[in-house]
Amino acid sequence: PLATRPGVGIPLADHISDDWRRVTWLEPADNPDDGNEASVRDLASGELVYTGAVRTPVEAIVPHVPYGDGEAGLSAEGFALAGDVHVWRGDLTPADYTAPTPDGRPPTRGFAAERLARAICADREMLDTAGVTAIADALAAAQVTRIADAMARVRARHPRLDTAVVTGLGDFIGVRAALQAGLRVIPLASVLGDAAARCAPAASVALLFDDAD
């Protein structure tokens, strides 16, 4: 059941993606959970993608981003997180950015821009709004493509899969990845509501107890 691990056992479709703050699970609905070995197995199979909407360091998403007429490498110093990308682009609000920021400053859009600039060892005097947007857009697109590629790996083993049930704080990433992978999308929020979909494991426990009654 979903109560055991997010992404398992939702009987709405054959496939579910649950994008947390830092990970994305891609699980066929009938996949069993085999305990402590599950994460290693899922990383090896592509069913676990260690990328998420807030905590993922930007250098773990892609090694290079646009800068000027070319590219710049990302410093491996944890100067910016995925949360900075998605707050800058408007897919998350500052209130959604629940992890500590790398520089300890607030998770506002302005400070997110400064952190993204710092990720290429620049600052806002060197990087204008268009430059920050180019970096954020490249990171967001790479994250979507990485998850979509993992979905393709899972579908190659389970050809019957044609639908993704997407939930979590980063459901917008899951929706874009599923569409890119050619899947039909069912947002879990459309069934349970936004609040329940963002805490799907707890909501599933409540539903299981309700069913038991």
Side-chain angles (χ1 to χ4, degrees):
L2 187 60
T4 324
R5 187 172 71 195
V8 181
I10 290 290
L12 298 174
D14 292 327
H15 187 279
I16 182 164
S17 167
D18 184 1
D19 195 305
W20 288 357
R21 290 180 296 175
R22 61 181 178 178
V23 300
T24 303
W25 292 98
L26 310 171
E27 289 280 8
D30 57 358
N31 234 26
D33 185 347
D34 51 8
N36 292 336
E37 295 183 0
S39 291
V40 176
R41 181 206 69 198
D42 291 346
L43 280 168
S45 68
E47 292 177 12
L48 170 58
V49 183
Y50 228 90
T51 191
V54 176
R55 294 184 184 179
T56 304
V58 294
E59 64 268 25
I61 298 174
V62 70
H64 300 88
V65 291
Y67 176 65
D69 294 330
E71 290 185 329
L74 288 164
S75 59
E77 296 288 349
F79 288 139
L81 303 180
D84 296 305
V85 172
H86 301 306
V87 166
W88 176 258
R89 300 181 77 246
D91 289 314
L92 293 180
T93 68
D96 294 325
Y97 196 136
T98 53
T101 63
D103 58 6
R105 294 188 293 178
T108 61
R109 192 168 185 266
F111 286 130
E114 294 190 20
R115 287 186 285 270
L116 290 169
R118 183 63 175 153
I120 61 167
C121 298
D123 55 37
R124 286 308 309 277
E125 292 185 5
M126 301 168 61
L127 202 65
D128 62 11
T129 296
V132 174
T133 297
I135 290 173
D137 286 351
L139 287 161
Q143 194 171 38
V144 167
T145 295
R146 182 178 175 190
I147 297 170
D149 289 347
M151 288 179 174
R153 289 179 61 191
V154 174
R155 290 189 76 190
R157 296 192 302 275
H158 304 276
R160 65 188 175 81
L161 300 180
D162 63 0
T163 302
V165 180
V166 182
T167 186
L169 181 65
D171 58 358
F172 60 94
I173 306 172
V175 168
R176 292 166 189 164
L179 292 174
Q180 185 169 309
L183 293 166
R184 184 171 68 96
V185 176
I186 298 176
L188 191 59
S190 68
V191 179
L192 299 182
D194 289 335
R198 285 199 172 194
C199 55
S204 67
V205 172
L207 289 171
L208 287 172
F209 276 115
D210 186 60
D211 288 345
D213 293 339

